[in-house]
Amino acid sequence: MTATSQAPDYGPEEAAPEVPKVPAEPSGPGAPSEPTGEEQAPVAAPEAPQAPDQGPGEPASEVPAEPPGPGAAPEPTDVPSAPLKLTIEDVSDSSVTVSWEPPESLGTQGLQGYVLELRREGASEWVPVNARPMMVTQQTVRNLAPGDKFFLRVAATNPAGAGPPATLDQPVHIREIIEPPKIRVPRHLRQTYLRQVGEMVNLQIPFQGNPKPQVSWTHNGLALDSKRVSVRNGDQDSILFIRSAQREDSGCYELTVRLETLEARAAINILVIEKPNPPSSVRLVDVWGCNVALEWTPPQDTGNTELLGYTVQKADKKTQQWFTVLERYHPTTCTVSDLIVGNSYSFRVFSENLCGLSDSPAVTKELAHIRKTDIVAKLKEFVERDFSEAPSFTQPLADHTTTSGYSTQLSCSVRASPKPKIIWMKNNMNILGDPKYRTFSEQGVYTLEIRKPSPFDSGVYTCKAVNMLGEASVDCRLEVKATH
């Protein structure tokens, strides 16, 4: 059984109320009774039995009491013995739970309950936790404060009084429960966090820890520049703020949450980028036919990140309109083809990264002139190909089962040149012209439709294709089931 009690509010100097004790009865007829503050009626002693040869007025002869034998049980006491195995079951930051086992001896008058008492460190008085005895062997004391230090004892009681108590060997110390620090990095910050130059950086990192831990930040292992970076630490999160990010703000920001000897760390990589510079130079390498070969050098500044490639554009001298030839092209040389004969072209190249294209391109200083050349056309002799082909079935007929009264279709596909003549047969008998059947074809697929068949229409159907180069045929079996 378990009971829950609140810690008594008695101070260390206040006396605990005593548990009322019932005075034990005298063990012999001549033992004096203890004063109880109340008068008790005298109790007449029982008359001793007369001996057979004793007269009514003669005094009785004393019979000596026999001493107990060596194996006799000791005389039972009135109060219970001390409870056994007083143990602390659980200690939190505001409560303590203790348990014990019943005493070996319950006394002559049985067990009335248990009284749990508390004595704070430095005090001399024991304060009862429960106002009256309780029939439980486990009890929780609540409403304790961190820093409290006290002793506990428990005694068993019955109508004869309280027995000797069982006391804990060591005092109970209520400490604030320490929750190890833990940092919960948001998912989008577990990879490199990209910002463009001039954008705001506002990172909110939640953490746990009790009591409130110490929080600190470093940038590439060094203390933060308070002129550029501001930090606000709360009870459950830390916010790092940069109003206008610059490229020198890139790097590894490490958050440390420390609680006494425990600590947790989290690293967040920030990369501040901007648009790249254009290629250093671009030049015409060669011009032949309708083709131009270009070559350029990479930009000196890629914007603090890798390039996604280059964009190559062309413009003819007449229209001066730019058209994109290549996008996100990685090599630094290219060939532009399909240029118009007689035109002159300029070329320009942009660099590109995650922020976009460079603000300005690198432009060729010279024009590429596509000159006219004498072209002699050599016509090849045309050879006419013979596409004649004997009939062949690319998709044969398939066996089919249908129900009487429901029209059904049989289909197959034929390849032949010239177009073949199609003959449909049932059980090797030509059914052309029979109004029960209808035939049609579409792009080499030939279909026979049997209108409202009956079991009599069951049999083997054949499709035969014939042209001047040969013939071919396919069969299938149709089964028509009668309706019941």
Side-chain angles (χ1 to χ4, degrees):
M1 299 178 62
T2 305
T4 302
S5 303
Q6 296 183 356
D9 296 331
Y10 302 109
E13 301 299 329
E14 297 178 2
E18 297 182 356
V19 179
K21 296 184 179 180
V22 179
E25 295 182 2
S27 57
S33 61
E34 298 181 357
T36 61
E38 295 181 0
E39 295 184 1
Q40 297 182 359
V43 180
E47 295 183 358
Q50 295 183 356
D53 54 350
Q54 178 182 351
E58 298 179 3
S61 62
E62 294 182 2
V63 180
E66 296 182 359
E75 184 178 356
T77 58
D78 291 338
V79 297
S81 60
L84 304 176
K85 298 181 180 181
L86 177 61
T87 308
I88 297 177
E89 296 292 340
D90 181 54
V91 179
S92 69
D93 57 353
S94 62
S95 66
V96 60
T97 301
V98 293
S99 65
W100 58 88
E101 293 184 2
E104 291 183 353
S105 172
L106 301 181
T108 58
Q109 301 188 31
L111 181 65
Q112 189 178 20
Y114 299 94
V115 175
L116 181 66
E117 295 179 317
L118 177 149
R119 179 175 67 83
R120 299 185 182 275
E121 190 177 43
S124 59
E125 299 295 335
W126 288 93
V127 181
V129 175
N130 44 318
R132 61 184 62 185
M134 302 180 68
M135 290 295 294
V136 295
T137 57
Q138 180 171 316
Q139 195 165 349
T140 299
V141 183
R142 301 189 183 276
N143 295 336
L144 301 173
D148 288 350
K149 198 171 184 179
F150 51 86
F151 294 87
L152 288 174
R153 71 180 186 183
V154 63
T157 63
N158 65 9
T167 307
L168 290 175
D169 297 335
Q170 300 293 331
V172 181
H173 192 185
I174 302 299
R175 295 183 177 89
E176 188 172 15
I177 295 179
I178 296 178
E179 181 182 0
K182 186 175 182 181
I183 302 174
R184 298 186 178 275
V185 180
R187 185 179 299 274
H188 69 282
L189 296 178
R190 297 177 188 175
Q191 54 189 0
T192 302
Y193 183 62
L194 296 178
R195 293 278 90 183
Q196 294 189 26
V197 172
E199 290 185 340
M200 179 179 63
V201 176
N202 189 13
L203 305 182
Q204 182 177 9
I205 312 299
F207 60 81
Q208 296 176 346
N210 188 40
K212 182 180 178 180
Q214 297 179 353
V215 181
S216 61
W217 286 87
T218 60
H219 179 209
N220 294 331
L222 303 176
L224 299 179
D225 183 2
S226 58
K227 296 180 180 179
R228 295 198 46 77
V229 184
S230 60
V231 173
R232 185 188 65 81
N233 296 324
D235 293 337
Q236 297 180 345
D237 61 11
S238 179
I239 298 177
L240 183 142
F241 179 77
I242 303 175
R243 184 173 300 278
S244 178
Q246 300 300 321
R247 289 172 61 168
E248 56 267 23
D249 296 323
S250 302
C252 178
Y253 289 80
E254 187 175 55
L255 171 63
T256 303
V257 179
R258 184 177 291 104
L259 184 60
E260 297 181 359
T261 59
L262 304 175
E263 70 175 23
R265 296 175 180 266
I268 300 171
N269 293 308
I270 298 178
L271 183 62
V272 182
I273 61 177
E274 59 183 340
K275 291 183 178 181
N277 289 345
S280 299
S281 62
V282 59
R283 67 185 184 91
L284 294 172
V285 177
D286 192 11
V287 179
W288 74 99
C290 296
N291 309 295
V292 172
L294 300 175
E295 183 181 22
W296 59 90
T297 55
Q300 295 179 354
D301 185 5
T302 61
N304 203 28
T305 184
E306 296 182 354
L307 291 178
L308 298 179
Y310 301 95
T311 297
V312 181
Q313 295 180 341
K314 66 178 181 180
D316 64 84
K317 184 179 179 181
K318 297 178 181 179
T319 62
Q320 292 296 321
Q321 293 183 354
W322 292 97
F323 298 93
T324 299
V325 178
L326 299 170
E327 286 184 306
R328 295 194 175 181
Y329 183 76
H330 289 280
T332 56
T333 59
C334 74
T335 299
V336 182
S337 303
D338 299 329
L339 300 176
I340 299 175
V341 175
N343 286 356
S344 297
Y345 291 89
S346 295
F347 299 90
R348 65 183 186 182
V349 181
F350 290 89
S351 304
E352 183 180 3
N353 65 7
L354 291 172
C355 292
L357 297 176
S358 56
D359 292 330
S360 60
V363 186
T364 55
K365 297 179 180 180
E366 302 174 355
L367 294 176
H369 303 284
I370 309 301
R371 303 184 185 278
K372 297 180 180 180
T373 57
D374 296 333
I375 300 175
V376 178
K378 294 182 179 181
L379 299 179
K380 294 183 179 180
E381 184 181 354
F382 177 73
V383 179
E384 185 178 359
R385 184 178 176 185
D386 185 8
F387 291 95
S388 300
E389 182 181 1
S392 62
F393 285 88
T394 58
Q395 181 65 39
L397 294 173
D399 292 342
H400 193 65
T401 301
T402 186
T403 305
S404 177
Y406 292 90
S407 297
T408 187
Q409 294 180 349
L410 305 176
S411 299
C412 60
S413 60
V414 181
R415 184 177 63 192
S417 180
K419 185 176 180 180
K421 178 183 178 181
I422 302 300
I423 302 173
W424 288 95
M425 294 181 291
K426 174 189 173 185
N427 298 330
N428 294 326
M429 298 293 293
N430 194 333
I431 57 176
L432 185 63
D434 191 333
K436 189 174 185 64
Y437 304 97
R438 185 169 71 97
T439 62
F440 51 91
S441 63
E442 183 179 357
Q443 296 183 354
V445 178
Y446 297 88
T447 303
L448 173 66
E449 181 181 5
I450 307 171
R451 300 175 179 176
K452 297 183 179 180
S454 64
F456 176 77
D457 294 313
S458 300
V460 177
Y461 287 80
T462 304
C463 179
K464 187 175 182 181
V466 181
N467 70 359
M468 59 185 298
L469 297 179
E471 64 180 40
S473 63
V474 290
D475 300 330
C476 75
R477 178 173 294 278
L478 175 65
E479 180 181 356
V480 182
K481 295 183 177 180
T483 57
H484 299 285

mmCIF file of all heavy atoms in Angstrom, residues 35 96 105 109-110 135 167 169-170 178 200 203 212 240 278 282 285 310 321 324 364 382 393 409 428 464-465 479:
data_model
loop_
_atom_site.group_PDB
_atom_site.id
_atom_site.type_symbol
_atom_site.label_atom_id
_atom_site.label_comp_id
_atom_site.label_asym_id
_atom_site.label_seq_id
_atom_site.Cartn_x
_atom_site.Cartn_y
_atom_site.Cartn_z
ATOM 1 N N PRO A 35 1.208 7.042 36.062
ATOM 2 C CA PRO A 35 0.198 8.131 36.080
ATOM 3 C C PRO A 35 -0.168 8.515 34.672
ATOM 4 O O PRO A 35 0.696 8.660 33.825
ATOM 5 C CB PRO A 35 0.933 9.257 36.809
ATOM 6 C CG PRO A 35 2.398 8.953 36.646
ATOM 7 C CD PRO A 35 2.513 7.488 36.586
ATOM 8 N N VAL A 96 10.082 12.669 -2.165
ATOM 9 C CA VAL A 96 10.861 11.474 -1.859
ATOM 10 C C VAL A 96 9.875 10.373 -1.476
ATOM 11 O O VAL A 96 8.859 10.625 -0.837
ATOM 12 C CB VAL A 96 11.868 11.742 -0.724
ATOM 13 C CG1 VAL A 96 11.154 12.162 0.550
ATOM 14 C CG2 VAL A 96 12.703 10.495 -0.457
ATOM 15 N N SER A 105 7.486 -8.434 15.133
ATOM 16 C CA SER A 105 6.516 -8.613 16.219
ATOM 17 C C SER A 105 5.502 -7.486 16.170
ATOM 18 O O SER A 105 5.873 -6.306 16.074
ATOM 19 C CB SER A 105 7.239 -8.621 17.574
ATOM 20 O OG SER A 105 6.304 -8.616 18.644
ATOM 21 N N GLN A 109 -1.426 -6.523 21.098
ATOM 22 C CA GLN A 109 -2.689 -5.892 20.697
ATOM 23 C C GLN A 109 -2.771 -5.629 19.193
ATOM 24 O O GLN A 109 -3.584 -4.830 18.738
ATOM 25 C CB GLN A 109 -2.866 -4.576 21.467
ATOM 26 C CG GLN A 109 -2.889 -4.771 22.980
ATOM 27 C CD GLN A 109 -3.255 -3.507 23.707
ATOM 28 O OE1 GLN A 109 -4.014 -2.698 23.182
ATOM 29 N NE2 GLN A 109 -2.723 -3.333 24.922
ATOM 30 N N GLY A 110 -1.890 -6.253 18.399
ATOM 31 C CA GLY A 110 -1.981 -6.110 16.941
ATOM 32 C C GLY A 110 -1.342 -4.813 16.441
ATOM 33 O O GLY A 110 -0.660 -4.101 17.184
ATOM 34 N N MET A 135 -2.105 2.592 7.507
ATOM 35 C CA MET A 135 -1.807 1.179 7.231
ATOM 36 C C MET A 135 -1.186 1.044 5.833
ATOM 37 O O MET A 135 -1.785 0.491 4.905
ATOM 38 C CB MET A 135 -3.077 0.347 7.354
ATOM 39 C CG MET A 135 -3.571 0.204 8.767
ATOM 40 S SD MET A 135 -2.430 -0.722 9.809
ATOM 41 C CE MET A 135 -2.525 -2.337 9.047
ATOM 42 N N THR A 167 15.211 4.038 11.309
ATOM 43 C CA THR A 167 15.701 5.321 10.817
ATOM 44 C C THR A 167 16.650 5.106 9.646
ATOM 45 O O THR A 167 17.437 4.144 9.641
ATOM 46 C CB THR A 167 16.421 6.087 11.936
ATOM 47 O OG1 THR A 167 15.564 6.165 13.074
ATOM 48 C CG2 THR A 167 16.794 7.500 11.487
ATOM 49 N N ASP A 169 19.899 5.543 7.486
ATOM 50 C CA ASP A 169 21.283 5.759 7.908
ATOM 51 C C ASP A 169 21.818 7.105 7.424
ATOM 52 O O ASP A 169 22.595 7.754 8.126
ATOM 53 C CB ASP A 169 22.180 4.634 7.365
ATOM 54 C CG ASP A 169 21.782 3.281 7.937
ATOM 55 O OD1 ASP A 169 21.199 3.271 9.040
ATOM 56 O OD2 ASP A 169 22.048 2.256 7.270
ATOM 57 N N GLN A 170 21.420 7.519 6.233
ATOM 58 C CA GLN A 170 21.928 8.753 5.651
ATOM 59 C C GLN A 170 20.788 9.744 5.453
ATOM 60 O O GLN A 170 19.644 9.346 5.226
ATOM 61 C CB GLN A 170 22.596 8.478 4.293
ATOM 62 C CG GLN A 170 23.784 7.523 4.369
ATOM 63 C CD GLN A 170 24.945 8.132 5.139
ATOM 64 O OE1 GLN A 170 25.110 9.350 5.164
ATOM 65 N NE2 GLN A 170 25.750 7.273 5.777
ATOM 66 N N ILE A 178 19.142 17.608 -12.891
ATOM 67 C CA ILE A 178 19.917 18.192 -13.984
ATOM 68 C C ILE A 178 19.535 17.509 -15.292
ATOM 69 O O ILE A 178 19.631 16.285 -15.410
ATOM 70 C CB ILE A 178 21.430 18.053 -13.720
ATOM 71 C CG1 ILE A 178 21.819 18.859 -12.476
ATOM 72 C CG2 ILE A 178 22.233 18.511 -14.922
ATOM 73 C CD1 ILE A 178 23.277 18.745 -12.113
ATOM 74 N N MET A 200 19.990 39.623 -44.685
ATOM 75 C CA MET A 200 19.979 39.477 -43.231
ATOM 76 C C MET A 200 20.157 38.009 -42.863
ATOM 77 O O MET A 200 19.631 37.112 -43.522
ATOM 78 C CB MET A 200 18.659 40.015 -42.686
ATOM 79 C CG MET A 200 18.500 39.912 -41.178
ATOM 80 S SD MET A 200 16.914 40.606 -40.642
ATOM 81 C CE MET A 200 15.764 39.499 -41.487
ATOM 82 N N LEU A 203 19.301 33.405 -37.262
ATOM 83 C CA LEU A 203 19.273 31.975 -36.935
ATOM 84 C C LEU A 203 18.742 31.793 -35.518
ATOM 85 O O LEU A 203 19.267 32.399 -34.567
ATOM 86 C CB LEU A 203 20.677 31.370 -37.034
ATOM 87 C CG LEU A 203 21.418 31.562 -38.359
ATOM 88 C CD1 LEU A 203 22.762 30.872 -38.296
ATOM 89 C CD2 LEU A 203 20.602 31.034 -39.521
ATOM 90 N N LYS A 212 19.125 26.421 -16.223
ATOM 91 C CA LYS A 212 19.467 27.148 -17.428
ATOM 92 C C LYS A 212 20.972 27.064 -17.691
ATOM 93 O O LYS A 212 21.779 27.437 -16.849
ATOM 94 C CB LYS A 212 19.031 28.608 -17.308
ATOM 95 C CG LYS A 212 19.321 29.431 -18.564
ATOM 96 C CD LYS A 212 18.881 30.869 -18.397
ATOM 97 C CE LYS A 212 19.218 31.692 -19.638
ATOM 98 N NZ LYS A 212 18.798 33.104 -19.492
ATOM 99 N N LEU A 240 21.132 34.150 -33.354
ATOM 100 C CA LEU A 240 22.292 34.838 -33.915
ATOM 101 C C LEU A 240 21.793 35.716 -35.053
ATOM 102 O O LEU A 240 21.104 35.231 -35.961
ATOM 103 C CB LEU A 240 23.330 33.830 -34.398
ATOM 104 C CG LEU A 240 24.636 34.406 -34.949
ATOM 105 C CD1 LEU A 240 25.812 33.537 -34.513
ATOM 106 C CD2 LEU A 240 24.613 34.477 -36.480
ATOM 107 N N PRO A 278 32.900 38.821 -64.680
ATOM 108 C CA PRO A 278 32.876 38.211 -66.009
ATOM 109 C C PRO A 278 34.228 37.553 -66.327
ATOM 110 O O PRO A 278 35.223 37.803 -65.632
ATOM 111 C CB PRO A 278 32.602 39.399 -66.928
ATOM 112 C CG PRO A 278 33.129 40.573 -66.181
ATOM 113 C CD PRO A 278 32.889 40.285 -64.733
ATOM 114 N N VAL A 282 37.906 37.212 -73.831
ATOM 115 C CA VAL A 282 37.395 36.254 -74.788
ATOM 116 C C VAL A 282 37.922 36.643 -76.166
ATOM 117 O O VAL A 282 37.980 37.831 -76.515
ATOM 118 C CB VAL A 282 35.845 36.208 -74.755
ATOM 119 C CG1 VAL A 282 35.245 37.560 -75.065
ATOM 120 C CG2 VAL A 282 35.314 35.156 -75.722
ATOM 121 N N VAL A 285 39.328 32.353 -81.966
ATOM 122 C CA VAL A 285 40.458 31.465 -82.248
ATOM 123 C C VAL A 285 40.530 31.145 -83.733
ATOM 124 O O VAL A 285 41.601 31.197 -84.354
ATOM 125 C CB VAL A 285 40.354 30.181 -81.415
ATOM 126 C CG1 VAL A 285 41.483 29.222 -81.758
ATOM 127 C CG2 VAL A 285 40.353 30.515 -79.930
ATOM 128 N N TYR A 310 29.152 28.878 -67.929
ATOM 129 C CA TYR A 310 29.211 30.116 -68.714
ATOM 130 C C TYR A 310 28.030 30.148 -69.688
ATOM 131 O O TYR A 310 27.552 29.097 -70.137
ATOM 132 C CB TYR A 310 30.515 30.207 -69.500
ATOM 133 C CG TYR A 310 31.753 30.163 -68.618
ATOM 134 C CD1 TYR A 310 32.420 28.961 -68.378
ATOM 135 C CD2 TYR A 310 32.250 31.319 -68.053
ATOM 136 C CE1 TYR A 310 33.554 28.927 -67.587
ATOM 137 C CE2 TYR A 310 33.385 31.296 -67.257
ATOM 138 C CZ TYR A 310 34.033 30.091 -67.025
ATOM 139 O OH TYR A 310 35.151 30.060 -66.239
ATOM 140 N N GLN A 321 21.038 42.175 -82.152
ATOM 141 C CA GLN A 321 20.230 41.469 -81.154
ATOM 142 C C GLN A 321 21.002 40.241 -80.675
ATOM 143 O O GLN A 321 21.533 39.482 -81.488
ATOM 144 C CB GLN A 321 18.884 41.050 -81.742
ATOM 145 C CG GLN A 321 17.977 42.224 -82.064
ATOM 146 C CD GLN A 321 16.622 41.756 -82.572
ATOM 147 O OE1 GLN A 321 16.403 40.565 -82.784
ATOM 148 N NE2 GLN A 321 15.710 42.700 -82.785
ATOM 149 N N THR A 324 21.161 33.577 -77.187
ATOM 150 C CA THR A 324 21.958 32.641 -76.379
ATOM 151 C C THR A 324 22.279 31.404 -77.203
ATOM 152 O O THR A 324 21.389 30.771 -77.789
ATOM 153 C CB THR A 324 21.204 32.242 -75.103
ATOM 154 O OG1 THR A 324 20.965 33.423 -74.329
ATOM 155 C CG2 THR A 324 21.990 31.249 -74.269
ATOM 156 N N THR A 364 33.990 39.884 -77.473
ATOM 157 C CA THR A 364 35.088 39.781 -78.443
ATOM 158 C C THR A 364 35.368 41.159 -79.059
ATOM 159 O O THR A 364 34.441 41.939 -79.333
ATOM 160 C CB THR A 364 34.733 38.783 -79.549
ATOM 161 O OG1 THR A 364 33.493 39.174 -80.148
ATOM 162 C CG2 THR A 364 34.597 37.380 -78.989
ATOM 163 N N PHE A 382 19.518 8.450 -107.719
ATOM 164 C CA PHE A 382 18.402 7.937 -106.928
ATOM 165 C C PHE A 382 18.130 6.494 -107.297
ATOM 166 O O PHE A 382 17.967 6.147 -108.464
ATOM 167 C CB PHE A 382 17.158 8.788 -107.162
ATOM 168 C CG PHE A 382 15.946 8.277 -106.445
ATOM 169 C CD1 PHE A 382 15.812 8.412 -105.070
ATOM 170 C CD2 PHE A 382 14.932 7.624 -107.141
ATOM 171 C CE1 PHE A 382 14.700 7.940 -104.408
ATOM 172 C CE2 PHE A 382 13.817 7.142 -106.480
ATOM 173 C CZ PHE A 382 13.700 7.302 -105.112
ATOM 174 N N PHE A 393 1.375 -12.310 -91.194
ATOM 175 C CA PHE A 393 0.546 -11.860 -90.077
ATOM 176 C C PHE A 393 1.454 -11.401 -88.932
ATOM 177 O O PHE A 393 2.246 -12.193 -88.407
ATOM 178 C CB PHE A 393 -0.394 -12.979 -89.609
ATOM 179 C CG PHE A 393 -1.553 -13.202 -90.537
ATOM 180 C CD1 PHE A 393 -1.441 -14.082 -91.610
ATOM 181 C CD2 PHE A 393 -2.751 -12.532 -90.346
ATOM 182 C CE1 PHE A 393 -2.498 -14.296 -92.470
ATOM 183 C CE2 PHE A 393 -3.814 -12.741 -91.207
ATOM 184 C CZ PHE A 393 -3.701 -13.624 -92.282
ATOM 185 N N GLN A 409 -16.091 -9.963 -81.942
ATOM 186 C CA GLN A 409 -15.185 -9.632 -83.030
ATOM 187 C C GLN A 409 -13.909 -10.446 -82.918
ATOM 188 O O GLN A 409 -13.423 -10.708 -81.808
ATOM 189 C CB GLN A 409 -14.838 -8.126 -83.004
ATOM 190 C CG GLN A 409 -16.015 -7.214 -83.293
ATOM 191 C CD GLN A 409 -15.607 -5.745 -83.257
ATOM 192 O OE1 GLN A 409 -14.511 -5.419 -82.817
ATOM 193 N NE2 GLN A 409 -16.490 -4.876 -83.719
ATOM 194 N N ASN A 428 -13.314 -23.909 -92.830
ATOM 195 C CA ASN A 428 -12.809 -24.009 -94.212
ATOM 196 C C ASN A 428 -13.880 -23.685 -95.257
ATOM 197 O O ASN A 428 -13.707 -24.008 -96.437
ATOM 198 C CB ASN A 428 -12.209 -25.393 -94.488
ATOM 199 C CG ASN A 428 -10.960 -25.635 -93.660
ATOM 200 O OD1 ASN A 428 -10.208 -24.696 -93.397
ATOM 201 N ND2 ASN A 428 -10.756 -26.886 -93.246
ATOM 202 N N LYS A 464 -7.456 -15.484 -94.344
ATOM 203 C CA LYS A 464 -6.474 -15.792 -95.367
ATOM 204 C C LYS A 464 -6.162 -14.530 -96.152
ATOM 205 O O LYS A 464 -7.067 -13.830 -96.614
ATOM 206 C CB LYS A 464 -7.012 -16.879 -96.304
ATOM 207 C CG LYS A 464 -6.014 -17.394 -97.317
ATOM 208 C CD LYS A 464 -6.620 -18.549 -98.107
ATOM 209 C CE LYS A 464 -5.623 -19.128 -99.096
ATOM 210 N NZ LYS A 464 -6.205 -20.245 -99.880
ATOM 211 N N ALA A 465 -4.858 -14.190 -96.272
ATOM 212 C CA ALA A 465 -4.412 -12.999 -97.005
ATOM 213 C C ALA A 465 -3.647 -13.457 -98.246
ATOM 214 O O ALA A 465 -2.726 -14.288 -98.140
ATOM 215 C CB ALA A 465 -3.542 -12.118 -96.111
ATOM 216 N N GLU A 479 -15.898 -20.252 -79.340
ATOM 217 C CA GLU A 479 -16.862 -21.058 -78.589
ATOM 218 C C GLU A 479 -17.971 -20.133 -78.106
ATOM 219 O O GLU A 479 -17.698 -19.139 -77.430
ATOM 220 C CB GLU A 479 -16.199 -21.750 -77.407
ATOM 221 C CG GLU A 479 -17.172 -22.604 -76.603
ATOM 222 C CD GLU A 479 -16.507 -23.261 -75.416
ATOM 223 O OE1 GLU A 479 -15.266 -23.113 -75.270
ATOM 224 O OE2 GLU A 479 -17.222 -23.902 -74.621
#
